[in-house]
Amino acid sequence: MARYLCMLIVAIICSCYFFPFIPNFIPVVNTKIILAIIGAILFVCDTIKYRSAQISSSFFILSILASLFSLWNWIAITYNNTDDFTYSNYILSMWVWFAAAYFVCWCIKMVHNTCNIRLLANYMAAICVFQCAISMMIHYIPFVKSCVDIYLVDAGVHMDRINRLYGIGSGLDTSGIVFSCVLLTMAVCFTHNILNMSKWHVLSFVISSFIIIIIGNMISRTTSVGMIISTVYLICSMGISKLSIKYTYFHFIWMCGLILAISVFIGYYYYNYVPEVQHQIRFAFEAFFNWVEKGEWSTSSTTILSEDFYRWPTDMETWLMGDGHFVDPEKPGFYKKIDMGYLRFIYYSGIIGLLFFIVFLACAVRLCIRNIKTYQSLFLLLILLQFIVWLKVATDVFYMFAIFICSSYFFDKNSNDSEIKEIA
């Protein structure tokens, strides 16, 4: 019983890492910073205990690249005489993510005697399913909503105004990115470990994936990017693209068919008899409904995106140095009302700043691959996700690379995989 309680505590800590929020009872810092403070203390203690740093020298190379990115952003905002410091202190953000990730991996190590990607995938799947479930409860159960809004996170007013689902620290595009990253991690881990998975484990994977895809899209349609990439990856892994399905995937395929049929049946019922659910379903799968009803695959987001393609800088100075603005200096919102990530970075610190950021992320991927060669495909898919999502929104998936890099420092090659199955 005590072990499962510890696993629950670790899951809560993981949720505070992937879905950080500012607690109403500590309205000064968010949960990510709290984890980072504890992680930094533990890192110092471990360094003293083992008389050597627990993080390799590659961390300092990443720090140098993050410093160069920060420095260039400082030059850009100084040159443009602005006070938008959104990414000018990115080196601090990097260290905060690393320290917080160190604490998360340290906790997993304490409970399971190891910390690896399969364990992380199981915890990430669990907290994403929880976020999906709690978002529905917040939306449909007033008591739950009042408790969350009063004691945990004050996001209700804004989210109610735009009529969007939200969880505890989850909501809008940021959550869609996390859901997408988790779907990719789950898919890659599934293909790597399917031979050692029981039917119950496979079924739990399928159910978790469907919950994240369906409700995750209701929270943020960016989830669909991870859904598409992970689906293509699974299709290629199963051999369907070569018209030859591997025997080990037969149970997975019929389970997917069964859960899909049940999901369609439940969705059809609620779509026709519960107007509020109908609104959520139409929002989540707006492109599909537009394709059926209007003959065009489009959403309100793609319409905005098409407008962004005509807002590229028109002078070389802006291309090189940007305008020094990431957010609108006059009112809340994006600079020039631009949503596309590539454009927002270019307008902030020019194409040079964007290239610094890309090189930094590429080096993070290289470090992940060097430390954990088995999951090379996962890290490449994650950076692909980053580049695709930048077409829609400016975001940063470095927190995924940070926790994978930290997990490699706690990995125990002699660990027993039976422990991993306990949280499946």
Side-chain angles (χ1 to χ4, degrees):
M1 185 65 182
R3 183 176 178 81
Y4 289 104
L5 178 60
C6 291
M7 290 165 60
L8 176 61
I9 294 173
V10 171
I12 294 173
I13 292 172
C14 287
S15 183
C16 290
Y17 176 84
F18 289 103
F19 298 97
F21 63 94
I22 301 177
N24 289 336
F25 49 86
I26 312 178
V28 180
V29 295
N30 63 24
T31 54
K32 175 185 66 177
I33 295 177
I34 295 173
L35 297 181
I37 293 172
I38 301 174
I41 295 173
L42 286 173
F43 172 75
V44 173
C45 293
D46 287 346
T47 300
I48 296 173
K49 178 180 179 181
Y50 298 107
R51 297 184 180 181
S52 64
Q54 299 301 298
I55 294 181
S56 69
S57 59
S58 300
F59 170 80
F60 298 101
I61 296 176
L62 281 179
S63 296
I64 291 172
L65 292 172
S67 298
L68 291 174
F69 177 55
S70 301
L71 177 61
W72 180 257
N73 290 329
W74 271 96
I75 293 173
I77 64 176
T78 302
Y79 178 83
N80 289 286
N81 193 28
T82 69
D83 57 356
D84 191 332
F85 302 101
T86 305
Y87 276 90
S88 60
N89 297 316
Y90 187 77
I91 179 63
L92 297 180
S93 298
M94 174 201 158
W95 287 344
V96 167
W97 278 120
F98 251 111
Y102 188 90
F103 178 53
V104 172
C105 294
W106 184 90
C107 291
I108 294 175
K109 171 76 172 180
M110 291 299 102
V111 175
H112 300 278
N113 297 320
T114 186
C115 179
N116 53 44
I117 292 186
R118 188 176 175 185
L119 268 170
L120 285 170
N122 285 331
Y123 273 110
M124 287 190 284
I127 63 176
C128 284
V129 170
F130 167 76
Q131 289 291 345
C132 290
I134 196 67
S135 68
M136 298 298 285
M137 295 173 67
I138 291 171
H139 192 77
Y140 293 103
I141 304 177
F143 174 74
V144 175
K145 175 178 172 57
S146 62
C147 289
V148 171
D149 290 348
I150 293 174
Y151 299 107
L152 293 179
V153 54
D154 187 16
V157 175
H158 174 65
M159 301 303 284
D160 289 341
R161 181 174 57 82
I162 60 177
N163 196 24
R164 296 285 292 274
L165 294 179
Y166 65 96
I168 301 176
S170 64
L172 302 178
D173 289 321
T174 304
S175 296
I177 305 301
V178 177
F179 292 147
S180 293
C181 291
V182 171
L183 286 172
L184 291 178
T185 306
M186 291 171 64
V188 175
C189 285
F190 176 75
T191 58
H192 278 65
N193 299 283
I194 186 172
L195 294 176
N196 301 320
M197 295 171 65
S198 64
K199 292 181 180 179
W200 167 249
H201 198 170
V202 174
L203 180 61
S204 66
F205 166 81
V206 174
I207 293 175
S208 299
S209 298
F210 270 83
I211 292 174
I212 295 171
I213 289 172
I214 295 172
I215 303 181
N217 270 288
M218 294 180 182
I219 297 174
S220 171
R221 289 182 299 213
T222 310
T223 306
S224 60
V225 180
M227 174 192 70
I228 294 171
I229 298 177
S230 60
T231 301
V232 172
Y233 175 82
L234 285 172
I235 289 174
C236 294
S237 299
M238 288 187 290
I240 295 178
S241 58
K242 299 179 181 178
L243 302 179
S244 176
I245 303 176
K246 298 177 181 179
Y247 176 77
T248 51
Y249 287 93
F250 283 162
H251 290 302
F252 168 70
I253 293 174
W254 75 257
M255 286 179 184
C256 281
L258 176 62
I259 300 302
L260 177 61
I262 295 174
S263 300
V264 171
F265 176 78
I266 296 175
Y268 177 82
Y269 173 82
Y270 279 98
Y271 181 84
N272 287 281
Y273 297 103
V274 183
E276 182 64 20
V277 175
Q278 180 185 103
H279 169 76
Q280 299 295 343
I281 293 176
R282 289 189 68 89
F283 170 81
F285 304 101
E286 182 183 1
F288 173 77
F289 285 104
N290 285 341
W291 178 62
V292 172
E293 298 170 358
K294 302 178 182 179
E296 58 181 24
W297 191 271
S298 64
T299 66
S300 58
S301 298
T302 57
T303 302
I304 296 174
L305 178 61
S306 64
E307 296 174 353
D308 285 351
F309 274 103
Y310 296 96
R311 297 176 179 174
W312 296 94
T314 56
D315 60 279
M316 185 57 65
E317 182 181 4
T318 304
W319 272 104
L320 293 176
M321 302 296 298
D323 288 342
H325 290 297
F326 196 79
V327 297
D328 196 307
E330 298 180 355
K331 57 183 178 180
F334 304 149
Y335 181 57
K336 292 181 180 291
K337 297 182 179 179
I338 293 173
D339 202 22
M340 186 194 299
Y342 289 103
L343 268 178
R344 294 190 70 191
F345 285 121
I346 290 173
Y347 272 110
Y348 183 60
S349 58
I351 192 72
I352 298 176
L354 176 61
L355 291 175
F356 268 127
F357 201 12
I358 291 175
V359 171
F360 166 75
L361 291 174
C363 288
V365 171
R366 183 177 180 276
L367 179 56
C368 286
I369 293 174
R370 194 186 73 176
N371 290 358
I372 316 174
K373 295 181 177 65
T374 309
Y375 287 91
Q376 174 178 327
S377 57
L378 170 60
F379 309 130
L380 295 176
L381 289 176
L382 285 173
I383 198 167
L384 173 64
L385 172 70
Q386 175 75 93
F387 293 151
I388 293 175
V389 168
W390 273 351
L391 290 170
K392 170 61 179 69
V393 63
T395 187
D396 175 16
V397 299
F398 175 71
Y399 54 86
M400 293 296 298
F401 300 127
I403 200 163
F404 290 144
I405 293 171
C406 285
S407 70
S408 66
Y409 304 143
F410 290 92
F411 180 65
D412 181 6
K413 295 181 180 180
N414 297 320
S415 62
N416 187 352
D417 281 345
S418 63
E419 294 180 355
I420 299 174
K421 297 179 182 179
E422 292 184 21
I423 62 170

